[in-house]
């Protein structure tokens, strides 16, 4: 095991998969000569050349669609969005082409491709650069979505996404790129984490915090604070939002009977809404309290530091929500 | 139905026989005419079936634009790719998709080219390089560009043709795609089927420049051709295809044509946006089938009885296609969820509707 950053873990995943399979190429804004806006692709141009590591023009709709077209005839494109905020310009190609092509061609065309980049808020980037984009990609059947929280998950899930036969969005945490963690060494074998497997990041028996992506760290912080009050919280990291590990969700509900869903995005039609619906449909009798959600405030992200703090979910809000479902507040 | 797949010609030849009209052999010209008659009769049959409720949804007919399909797809190699918009039946036939499955798709049947999942707007025939009809105006342009990218990536000498309507040149996808194709010299020919109207809006009302000039800012060379003249269209595309195949970069064609029907079956042929007189005049003067027929008559390369035989033969093909569609079963509940994902992952749920499957 080596301790590396989330950024290096993603870089390793790209390099290993490009090494393994010549049909994999990386395209996006600034990915080649600039080494990537977040330096995820550092060194890949030197290693693989400009045939396979390609700077695109600022044309999200165009290069996302180009990726779909290349995948239609068997290449395995990795399309990087500098951030998923910019991918809204490409949503026609994501939703109308990528998600639906396999179905509407009745299986004649499948799309082994990845859309990746950071999602969620960083610091004081305000409304158009601070949003969790998961819901847009989850709503339409046909696209899979993973949200790695740790360097190991980043590497293992990106490799799985590149090998998957369907379009997979890999949404990275904008504030996680410098996060360090242990990742199995390449010499110890191929490290791939299958899509659809959640992971309990902290065991606990009193209340379940179900979350994913960057919010996993907030949930762990909240769990640490709850411990001081004698409350033992379990943190379930979904890791993959489609396929969704419903078995793991039901297992933690059955264990603690109390659930808080923590998500970075807005509440309306969000990930938490889906999870709460699934829990009440399939584990209603296991619940001792209503499922609560901690989300971003239902407003665009403001710039001012104090307002931004108020808008974002926080460990304190998670603690409060947990106490509420435990009826101890 | 084998008659429709007359693919014995070789790229760059004009039918092999003695050149008899503008460098085209008699056999070749007969093949053009027969194919165009097939496209016309096929669409007329679809029109008839729509009227009696056998076809639902949107159904965009290609009547009046047959020479573009034949003149553009005809010179391509079988391993070249074609991508198009939702007005796609005729291009599919031209690329070699069998008429039966195309008609069955319109009927929403299991035997349809995509099993009843796509309908009129989404015909696919990947085995013959027909990469689909796509339903969002301009949405297919980046896809074709990506197919061109893949061809170049693999150092193949195939090419990709992208059909689009005139209205699609006003989409951002058009500019973004042509720019990338020009920068990377991708092997794509973008062919605008310029039928003068985007649904009910005349192109000249929404563009300051004519179609042929709309690629100018991208560096992709533009060409205009009379899209009602199959020989002229074929000649241009044959030349461009050869240049593109040699690595010369993308090309752009304004194929000037005209739609004899409404935008789709649910739209009027004329009325508020174009006059009945205009449509009647175009049908009289610019019917691509009549134009070719009359040239052949004039050059004494076609006899009336040959034309009648040809028409009879394609009507048989179309009737067989309709019978195939009629006889094909409906898709079943088992088909509802298939082909949503190619890979059903071992872990986790992909379908969140809570239904039993």
């Amino acid at each position: 095991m080596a301790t590396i950053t989330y950024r290096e873990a993603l870089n390793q995943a790209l390099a290993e998969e490009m090494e393994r399979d010549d049909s994999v190429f990386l395209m996006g804004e600034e990915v080649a000569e600039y080494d990537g806006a977040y330096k995820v692709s550092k060194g890949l141009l030197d290693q693989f050349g400009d045939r396979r590591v390609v700077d695109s023009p600022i044309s999200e709709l165009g290069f996302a669609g180009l990726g779909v077209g290349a995948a239609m005839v068997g290449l395995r494109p990795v399309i990087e969005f500098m951030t998923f905020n910019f991918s809204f310009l490409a949503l026609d190609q994501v939703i109308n082409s990528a998600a639906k092509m396999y179905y509407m061609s009745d299986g004649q065309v499948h799309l082994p491709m990845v859309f990746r980049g950071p999602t969620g808020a960083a610091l004081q980037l305000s409304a158009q650069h601070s949003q969790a984009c998961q819901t847009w990609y989850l709503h339409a059947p046909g696209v899979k979505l993973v949200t790695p929280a740790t360097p190991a998950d980043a590497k293992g899930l990106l490799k799985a996404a590149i090998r998957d036969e369907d379009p997979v969005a890999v949404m990275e945490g904008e504030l996680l790129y410098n996060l360090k963690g242990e990742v199995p060494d390449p010499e110890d074998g191929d490290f791939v984490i299958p899509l659809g497997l959640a992971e309990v990041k902290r065991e606990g028996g009193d209340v379940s915090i179900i979350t994913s992506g960057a919010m996993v760290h907030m949930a762990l912080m909240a769990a640490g604070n709850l411990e001081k009050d004698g409350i033992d919280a379990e943190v379930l990291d979904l890791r993959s939002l489609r396929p969704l590990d419903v078995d793991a969700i039901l297992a933690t509900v059955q264990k603690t009977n109390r659930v808080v869903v923590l998500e970075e995005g807005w509440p309306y039609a969000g990930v938490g809404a889906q999870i709460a619906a699934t829990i009440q449909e399939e584990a209603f009798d296991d619940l001792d309290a209503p499922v609560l959600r901690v989300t971003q405030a239902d407003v665009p992200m403001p710039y001012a530091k104090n307002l931004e703090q108020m808008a974002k979910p926080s460990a304190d809000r998670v603690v409060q929500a947990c106490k509420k479902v435990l009826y101890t507040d | 139905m084998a008659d429709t797949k007359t693919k014995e010609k070789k790229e760059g030849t004009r039918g092999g026989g003695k050149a008899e009209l503008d460098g085209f052999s008699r056999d070749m010209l007969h093949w053009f005419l027969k194919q165009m008659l097939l496209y016309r009769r096929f669409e007329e049959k679809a029109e008839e079936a729509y009227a009696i409720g056998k076809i639902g949804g949107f159904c965009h007919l290609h009547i009046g634009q047959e020479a573009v399909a034949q003149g553009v797809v005809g010179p391509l190699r079988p391993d070249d790719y074609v991508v198009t918009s939702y007005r796609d039946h005729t291009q599919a036939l031209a690329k070699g998709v069998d008429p039966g499955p195309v008609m069955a798709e319109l009927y929403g049947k299991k035997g349809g080219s995509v099993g009843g999942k796509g309908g009129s707007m989404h015909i696919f025939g990947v085995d013959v390089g027909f990469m689909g009809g796509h339903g969002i105006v301009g949405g297919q342009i980046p896809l074709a560009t990506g197919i061109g990218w893949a061809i170049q990536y693999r150092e193949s000498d195939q090419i990709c043709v992208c059909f689009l309507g005139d209205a699609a040149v006003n989409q951002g996808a058009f500019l973004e795609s042509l720019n990338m194709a020009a920068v990377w010299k991708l092997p794509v020919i973008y062919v605008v089927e310029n039928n003068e109207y985007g649904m009910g809006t005349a192109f000249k009302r929404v563009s300051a420049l004519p179609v042929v000039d709309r690629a100018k800012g991208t560096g992709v060379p533009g060409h205009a051709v009379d899209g009602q003249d199959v020989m002229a269209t074929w000649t241009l595309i044959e030349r461009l295809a050869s240049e593109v195949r040699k690595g010369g970069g993308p090309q752009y064609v304004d194929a000037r044509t005209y739609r004899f029907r409404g935008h789709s079956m649910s739209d009027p042929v004329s009325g508020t946006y174009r006059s009945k007189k205009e449509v009647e005049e175009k049908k009289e003067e610019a019917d691509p089938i009549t134009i070719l027929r009359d040239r052949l008559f004039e050059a004494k390369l076609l006899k009336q009885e040959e034309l009648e035989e040809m028409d009879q033969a394609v009507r048989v093909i179309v009737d067989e296609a309709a019978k195939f569609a009629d006889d094909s079963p409906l898709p079943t509940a088992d088909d509802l969820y298939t082909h949503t994902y190619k890979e059903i992952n071992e872990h986790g749920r992909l379908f969140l509707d809570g239904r039993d499957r």
Side-chain angles (χ1 to χ4, degrees):
Chain A
M1 289 273 193
T3 299
I4 61 172
T5 63
Y6 188 90
R7 165 186 292 119
E8 288 162 343
L10 292 165
N11 182 280
Q12 277 187 6
L14 287 167
E16 288 176 20
E17 292 308 299
M18 290 179 73
E19 188 67 47
R20 199 179 63 83
D21 184 349
D22 183 67
S23 65
V24 179
F25 69 94
L26 174 68
M27 179 180 282
E29 293 152 7
E30 311 288 1
V31 299
E33 291 192 8
Y34 197 80
D35 281 336
Y38 294 91
K39 307 299 171 198
V40 168
S41 50
K42 191 173 181 184
L44 295 182
L45 175 63
D46 289 341
Q47 193 178 344
F48 296 102
D50 62 4
R51 170 173 169 262
R52 299 184 63 198
V53 182
V54 188
D55 280 326
S56 73
I58 300 181
S59 301
E60 281 85 3
L61 176 68
F63 69 77
L66 183 150
V68 176
M72 285 174 79
V73 291
L75 295 188
R76 305 184 88 90
V78 177
I79 299 298
E80 174 172 318
F81 294 121
M82 191 183 290
T83 89
F84 268 96
N85 294 292
F86 308 157
S87 82
F88 293 168
L89 285 155
L91 273 185
D92 176 54
Q93 288 300 333
V94 175
I95 305 298
N96 276 316
S97 295
K100 296 168 184 166
M101 192 84 72
Y102 187 57
Y103 193 82
M104 69 185 194
S105 72
D106 199 34
Q108 289 189 43
V109 183
H110 76 283
L111 303 172
M113 68 182 301
V114 167
F115 299 107
R116 54 157 289 273
T119 187
L123 296 171
Q124 284 196 277
L125 299 180
S126 73
Q128 294 177 337
H129 284 71
S130 312
Q131 50 202 337
C133 303
Q134 286 87 323
T135 290
W136 278 276
Y137 283 71
L138 286 169
H139 194 56
V143 177
K144 299 171 181 176
L145 172 59
V146 296
T147 52
T150 65
D153 288 347
K155 181 170 181 183
L157 288 170
L158 178 54
K159 283 168 68 84
I162 293 171
R163 294 183 196 186
D164 201 271
E165 297 300 329
D166 294 304
V168 183
V170 179
M171 294 198 179
E172 301 153 9
E174 190 157 348
L175 291 177
L176 298 181
Y177 287 118
N178 287 327
L179 180 77
K180 287 185 175 168
E182 286 195 331
V183 177
D185 293 319
E187 307 81 71
D188 294 339
D190 209 17
F191 178 63
V192 180
I193 297 174
L195 270 53
L197 262 189
E199 185 179 66
V200 175
K201 288 284 201 283
R202 184 189 197 278
E203 296 262 3
D206 295 333
V207 57
S208 301
I209 307 169
I210 300 178
T211 189
S212 73
M215 293 296 100
V216 168
H217 304 284
M218 185 179 286
L220 290 169
M221 191 189 294
N225 294 342
L226 286 163
E227 196 177 353
K228 292 172 198 156
D229 294 326
I231 297 167
D232 188 19
E234 177 148 297
V235 174
L236 180 67
D237 175 6
L238 294 168
R239 299 202 290 198
S240 170
L241 297 178
R242 195 200 283 266
L244 182 67
D245 193 344
V246 176
D247 290 346
I249 293 171
L250 299 180
T252 194
V253 175
Q254 281 151 13
K255 184 176 176 188
T256 69
N257 314 113
R258 297 164 202 277
V259 178
V260 170
V261 186
L262 166 61
E263 66 180 307
E264 195 172 3
W266 294 301
Y268 199 151
V271 178
Q274 176 60 47
I275 291 166
T278 300
I279 291 172
Q280 69 87 15
E281 283 164 2
E282 302 187 30
F284 187 75
D285 291 338
D286 292 305
L287 287 174
D288 285 343
V291 176
L292 289 188
R293 290 179 292 163
V294 176
T295 71
Q296 187 190 320
D298 204 7
V299 298
M301 187 66 80
Y303 166 72
K305 212 169 189 173
N306 62 330
L307 290 179
E308 186 186 49
Q309 282 308 316
M310 289 179 225
K312 285 177 173 176
S314 68
D316 280 351
R317 284 180 210 283
V318 177
V319 167
Q320 286 162 22
C322 287
K323 288 183 175 174
K324 199 163 180 184
V325 298
L326 282 156
Y327 302 108
T328 62
D329 59 334
Chain B
M1 260 174 251
D3 286 11
T4 59
K5 297 178 101 178
T6 317
K7 292 287 189 278
E8 58 272 19
K9 78 208 160 41
K10 292 201 178 65
E11 189 217 355
T13 72
R14 300 297 178 78
K18 187 169 152 258
E20 297 191 51
L21 184 59
D22 291 352
F24 291 92
S25 71
R26 178 180 172 282
D27 285 353
M28 190 75 157
L29 294 164
H30 277 217
W31 179 62
F32 288 176
L33 188 60
K34 188 174 173 187
Q35 286 295 97
M36 287 161 60
L37 278 166
L38 170 68
Y39 308 154
R40 176 72 53 94
R41 300 301 176 221
F42 184 94
E43 295 288 63
E44 286 169 352
K45 180 63 83 178
E47 194 171 27
E48 215 179 283
Y50 192 95
I52 56 172
K54 288 187 177 182
I55 298 173
F58 290 137
C59 183
H60 307 85
L61 301 179
H62 204 236
I63 292 176
Q65 303 178 208
E66 294 88 349
V68 183
Q70 186 56 24
V72 172
V73 181
L76 303 181
R77 284 192 337 212
D79 65 340
D80 289 333
Y81 296 105
V82 169
V83 187
T84 188
S85 74
Y86 43 77
R87 199 178 301 283
D88 61 351
H89 317 160
T90 299
Q91 289 96 333
L93 298 177
K95 194 69 177 76
V97 183
D98 282 338
V102 179
M103 191 67 85
E105 191 54 42
L106 307 189
Y107 281 43
K109 295 294 191 75
K110 176 101 173 161
S113 74
V114 291
K117 292 239 176 98
S120 163
M121 297 187 281
H122 307 300
I123 307 294
F124 280 78
V126 171
D127 56 335
V128 292
F130 186 70
M131 305 307 287
H134 299 271
I136 305 298
V137 172
Q140 77 278 23
I141 313 174
L143 304 179
T145 309
I147 291 172
W149 168 270
I151 291 169
Q152 189 184 70
Y153 191 89
R154 291 177 166 140
E155 298 175 5
S156 164
D157 69 345
Q158 294 158 288
I159 66 171
C160 181
V161 163
C162 180
F163 286 106
L164 54 144
D166 45 86
V169 308
N170 286 326
Q171 290 279 31
F174 172 78
L175 175 73
E176 294 185 18
S177 295
L178 268 68
N179 177 56
M180 290 190 293
V183 168
W184 295 321
K185 293 195 164 25
L186 301 181
V188 184
I189 306 178
Y190 300 93
V191 178
V192 180
E193 292 199 72
N194 176 7
N195 64 21
E196 301 183 25
Y197 295 91
M199 197 167 159
T201 301
F203 182 76
K204 60 190 176 194
R205 291 175 57 220
V206 289
S207 176
L209 295 173
V211 169
V212 66
D213 291 335
R214 290 297 299 274
K216 272 188 177 163
T218 65
V220 180
H223 313 265
V225 69
D226 179 356
Q228 304 306 78
D229 180 341
V230 66
M231 292 191 282
T233 305
W234 177 291
T235 301
L236 175 66
I237 297 296
E238 188 180 47
R239 174 168 71 77
L240 296 181
S242 156
E243 290 172 17
V244 171
R245 209 180 289 291
K246 282 186 253 168
Q251 297 283 349
Y252 172 75
V253 175
D254 170 3
R256 292 170 178 172
T257 182
Y258 197 79
R259 147 164 74 67
F260 292 171
R261 295 294 193 269
H263 169 67
S264 80
M265 279 302 296
S266 34
D267 301 304
V269 176
S270 58
T272 53
Y273 72 100
R274 64 179 187 182
S275 68
K276 198 173 172 191
K277 181 168 168 282
E278 175 186 306
V279 178
E280 290 309 316
E281 279 174 9
K282 285 282 190 181
K283 282 170 146 175
E284 190 63 36
E285 293 158 16
D287 185 322
I289 296 176
T290 312
I291 290 170
L292 178 62
R293 180 199 69 188
D294 290 350
R295 286 195 68 184
L296 293 179
F297 278 154
E298 203 177 309
K300 304 211 181 308
L301 291 172
L302 179 71
K303 295 177 191 140
Q304 181 62 34
E305 55 268 31
E306 287 173 320
L307 176 66
E308 282 165 19
E309 271 171 34
M310 228 180 254
D311 197 29
Q312 195 47 44
V314 302
R315 284 177 190 278
V316 168
I317 293 167
V318 168
D319 287 345
E320 282 175 4
K323 184 168 186 320
F324 176 84
D326 273 322
D327 292 348
S328 175
L330 291 169
T332 67
D334 290 340
D335 300 310
L336 181 60
Y337 286 90
T338 56
H339 299 134
T340 309
Y341 300 94
K342 168 82 172 171
E343 184 172 343
I344 302 298
N345 303 87
E346 193 185 340
H347 306 282
R349 259 187 225 174
L350 284 167
F351 301 93
L352 274 298
D353 53 14
R355 293 205 209 175
D356 291 330
R357 275 177 296 282

